[in-house]
Structures are given as C-alpha cells and as structure tokens.
Amino acid sequence: MGSKKSFLALLGVVLTLCILSACGGVQGQEGAGEPEPPAQEEDVSQEEEPTPEADPASATPPARPSTAGALRVEGTQLVDKDGNPVVLFGVSTHGLAWFPQYVNADLFKELSGWGANVMRLALYTDEYGGWCSGGDRDALRALVLDGVDYASAADQYVIVDWHILSDNNPWVHADDAKAFLADVSATLADRDNVLYEICNEPNGATTWEDVRSYAEEVIPVIRANDPDAVIIVGTPEWSQRVDQAAENPLTEQNVMYALHFYAATHKDDLRNRMVAAVDAGLPVFVSEFGICDASGNGAIDEEQADLWLATMDELGVSRVMWNLSNKNESSAMIWSGSDKVSGLDDADLSQAGRWLKARLAGEWETPEVTLSEQGAAAGGTSASAATVTFAQGDLTVAARLENSWPVEGGTCYQYMLTVRNDGPACDSWHVDVPFAGEVALVDGWNGTYAVSGQTLSIDNASYNGHLDAGQSATDIGFQVSGPGAGGIAA
Ligand code: IDC
C-alpha cells in the first residue's frame, strides 16, 4: 500500500506537470486558444491503475429529496425528515453569468447519476455580470429558478448561493441580498430541497460580528417565506474562520457555517480548525472546495484532497466542489478543450472532474485519518464525532460523543444531546439514554440526571422544560464513565 501510494503520488506529480505545461495556468481565458488533449488521459490508461476498493462511507447511497425530504440541522449535522444523518456531496456551478450553459437539465441528471445529491448555484454579486455589477437580473433570476427546477427533476438538493467575493463584506450589498433572497425564497417556498447560502466568502477586514449581524438581518427575510430552510452562513477570511463562529454562533435553528478549502493551499491547519469547530458543536458545511490551490488554478494536490474528504466523511460534513465549467483553470471539472454541456465522457473531464467522479462513486483508496490527533493539534478536544439519533415517545434525541479522556480505572466520555419535541407543546420532558453496559454519572448540565444500571435518565432543567411543537432543547451535556460509557445502545 505504501509503495502504491508513493507510485500514485509520483503519477500525480507527473500528471500535474503535464497539465501545467498543457494549460499554462492562465486565468480568465475560458475557451481561448487551440485546446490540447487532456494531458493525463493517456497516462492513466497506460498505467492500468488497479480498480480501487469502494469506500463504504462514500459509497452509501446518497440521500435524495424524494425519500429524505426536507433537511434540518441536528447537532452538528444535517438530518433527513426522520432524523437520519445526511451528507450532501455535489457540485457548484461557476458564476451563473460566466457559464450559464452548464445550468441544464441533462447535465444535472448526469451529475446526479454520478452520485451528486446537491448542486450549488453561484450567483456572483460583484464580479463579471454579477447581480450588483451590471448583470442581467432577469436572466440571472431565471437561471437560478431553472437551476432549482433541474436539480429537483434530478432528485437533488440545491443551494442558492449569494456569492460575495470582491465586495468583501456582505453588508456592502445587504439591501440587494435581502430583496433577492426575499423574492427567490417566496417563489421557492413550497420546495423541500432548497438551501440558502447568504454570503459566500466574507473577507478583507470583515469580522465575524459583521457577518453575524448581517445574518441576523437576512435570515428572517428567508424565514418569512420558508421557515425551515437550512441556511449556510459564510465566515471571515474567505469562509475559513469557523472557529470564530463557534465562539459566538447564531441562535437561529437550521443554520450551518461555511468552511471553504482548496487542498493545495489549505492543509492540516485549516483541517484541524474544522475538526475543532465540529468538536465544539458547530454545524459546518463545506459549501465550496477545490483540489487545486486557492486561486482556483495551479497544481492539484490529490493526496491532501483525499485527506480532507476522509476527514469530512468521518465528521459527516457535507461538501460541494468548485466548479462546473470548462474554464482553463485547474478547478474546472470539464476539460477546456471540450465544449460539451452534457453527455460528458471521461475524456471531456479535467483531472478535477475525474477526481470528483471517482470519489462520488466511492472508488478511491481512503486514507486513514485520526480525528483525535487533529482536534488536539487545533487546541480542541479529541473527537469521535459519532452521533446517535433515537426516538422516545414524542421526542427525537440526537446524542453526540464529544470527547473522551483517561481517568483512573477507565475512560470518561462526554456527550452532548439535542432533544426535539415532535409532538404537541409540552412543559416537561424525560429521556432515558440506554448504554451498552453499566455507567456512572460524572457530571451533567442543562438537565436533571439519574443513573440506574445501564440507563441514564435525564429530566429537563427548570428553564428548558417547555418545548413548542418542533422545538429543540440543546446543549444538554453530561459526562459518564464505567464499562458501558463508550457507546449509546439505541
Ligand atoms: C474563481 C473562479 C475564477 C474567477 C474568480 C473571480 O474560479 O474563474 O475568475 O473566481 O474572482 C473562491 C471563490 C470562488 C473562486 C475560487 C477560486 O469563492 O469564487 O472562483 N475561490 O479562486 N474562494 C476560494 C477560491
């Protein structure tokens, strides 16, 4: 396996060099010049790469709107209408004004067939025919609505992305954002498969407080039409500061926080930050990533990309890859010499496109990742990131193993619970958490605790007993030790 890996790494370097020499790494010249054939196509077939084993995590059939229904956020993860954890894995368009031709029904179906269960529609605000920079608003609006229709027809979820970038601070175009999101969310109010991303990448001097206050103003605009939609909020420094969001998250339900990475630029440090943020209880959504560098171009780093993917699999983090175009840049999924807008053969794909297709199919060699080391490296706690969801009467309980550490004679485990009331409004609640063996209570908060054998009983605290229909009590935490403490047997 070691020698195969280094062989693949070497192959990767060779291929990358081929691509760089073929494409010249030029940005901003889509479709320009005489196209070269895809550089690595011959190399791959010549080397007869052995068929990798399917990876179980990625090969699980992706959740689909037709069966999973409307998604919501429980703990750190997306869950379906029945409370089962859901991972979205799909593709982002390039700027809608730049490459409108790839928003088409056949292509979305085709990507869905690859296993992509989400599409992201990137509506730039300030660049190249953007919504706020002279773009044709009628055409852009129609593209967004068509894109949602195509994703729906392909049984995919779809993210409407207000793609701020060179405008730095979401407040710059906040009035436009509110007007656009009010209109689109009203038009799409009856759809179950639409998520909203309200500010792609705050950057420059923008602080988390700026983004937070913007979100507090924009989220209610969407909620007025679509009370339950999942909303993704960008974070400072091009959506890399999930740590800042974790220190002071929004109080609204069904909100997730964006982390964006480009694998050839962002490695352990940012990955560790993601692990630590999830470990701290933040629902993170990787709504944009690339396997090249942060310019969207340059060398591809598949080894880092696979480490990212394996880590996201471990954490159950959803992810969307940039970008669906044939622009002459290494983040584009389609080879710049192909002008097909659907019916893509492997020869029409770039290295990024082929990487994605194989990963969506689960055909890749998953590297081992140790989350506890990553969380610890980021100054966080060790994470197992396992969430168990179970129903009890009218309640749905999501219990997440947050942390564990050695104590005399064994291990102490810390769990965090969310208790959702699926019945009528109530003034008190009671949960029995079944463990695999006997447990002893070490500590507990935001509830009243009692242990009997393998069962930990939790009653509400004085201040969190009232739950409206559909409401959740959150941040219910406890620490247990004993032979059964490592796993909930629900
Ligand atoms: C890039 C596109 C590129 C375009 C540029 C415009 O790939 O063709 O010229 O935007 O500024 C992001 C952004 C995303 C970027 C991408 C690559 O969200 O819009 O796309 N990137 O630079 N964040 C980090 C990288």
Side-chain angles (χ1 to χ4, degrees), residues 238-255:
W238 296 277
S239 285
Q240 293 171 40
R241 299 309 302 262
V242 284
D243 54 326
Q244 296 178 354
E247 277 172 23
N248 188 15
L250 290 145
T251 53
E252 285 83 355
Q253 304 278 302
N254 290 325
V255 168

Side-chain angles (χ1 to χ4, degrees), residues 384 401 411 413 415 435-439 480-488:
S384 120
L401 179 54
T411 306
Y413 296 88
Y415 292 83
F435 282 91
E438 293 213 347
V439 291
V480 283
S481 63
I488 291 173

Side-chain angles (χ1 to χ4, degrees), residues 49 57 72 143 180 185 208 295 317 327 422 468 485:
E49 196 179 322
R72 48 172 206 275
L143 271 171
F180 170 77
S185 63
W208 170 243
S295 71
V317 167
K327 189 168 178 178
D422 293 330
D468 288 333

Side-chain angles (χ1 to χ4, degrees), residues 341-394:
V341 297
S342 67
L344 304 174
D345 297 319
D346 280 357
D348 296 306
L349 302 179
S350 66
Q351 185 182 355
R354 278 195 291 271
W355 179 90
L356 177 69
K357 190 176 178 190
R359 301 310 177 278
L360 282 168
E363 292 166 2
W364 60 301
E365 204 181 323
T366 316
E368 264 185 44
V369 292
T370 314
L371 294 179
S372 53
E373 281 172 15
Q374 297 188 31
T381 52
S382 68
S384 120
T387 300
V388 176
T389 306
F390 57 97
Q392 242 169 47
D394 283 341

Side-chain angles (χ1 to χ4, degrees), residues 27-28 94 98 120 124 127 163-165 200-201 238 260 262 288 293-297 322-323 327 329 331:
Q27 227 181 332
H94 196 288
W98 246 295
R120 176 180 188 242
Y124 275 88
E127 279 88 346
H163 200 88
I164 73 157
L165 190 60
N200 167 51
E201 290 185 356
W238 296 277
H260 291 176
Y262 281 76
E288 185 185 299
D293 73 33
S295 71
N297 210 344
W322 184 262
N323 71 71
K327 189 168 178 178
E329 60 180 9
S331 59

Side-chain angles (χ1 to χ4, degrees), residues 22-23 25-36 94 98-99 101-102 128 297 323-330 332 334-341:
C23 303
V26 183
Q27 227 181 332
Q29 294 183 10
E30 57 270 17
E34 196 55 36
E36 301 279 340
H94 196 288
W98 246 295
F99 291 98
Q101 65 271 37
Y102 297 105
Y128 193 89
N297 210 344
N323 71 71
L324 186 54
S325 81
N326 71 342
K327 189 168 178 178
N328 191 356
E329 60 180 9
S330 48
I334 302 170
W335 171 48
S336 60
S338 168
D339 55 10
K340 285 196 204 164
V341 297

Side-chain angles (χ1 to χ4, degrees), residues 147-210:
V148 170
D149 279 345
Y150 302 147
S152 306
D155 208 4
Q156 294 171 304
Y157 293 92
V158 57
I159 301 171
V160 175
D161 163 36
W162 181 253
H163 200 88
I164 73 157
L165 190 60
S166 62
D167 33 350
N168 301 353
N169 189 321
W171 278 108
V172 170
H173 295 304
D175 287 343
D176 283 323
K178 283 190 272 182
F180 170 77
L181 291 166
D183 165 32
V184 170
S185 63
T187 309
L188 300 173
D190 61 342
R191 304 296 182 98
D192 271 352
N193 61 331
V194 181
L195 296 80
Y196 295 90
E197 183 165 3
I198 60 173
C199 49
N200 167 51
E201 290 185 356
N203 62 81
T206 309
T207 64
W208 170 243
E209 290 315 314
D210 294 331

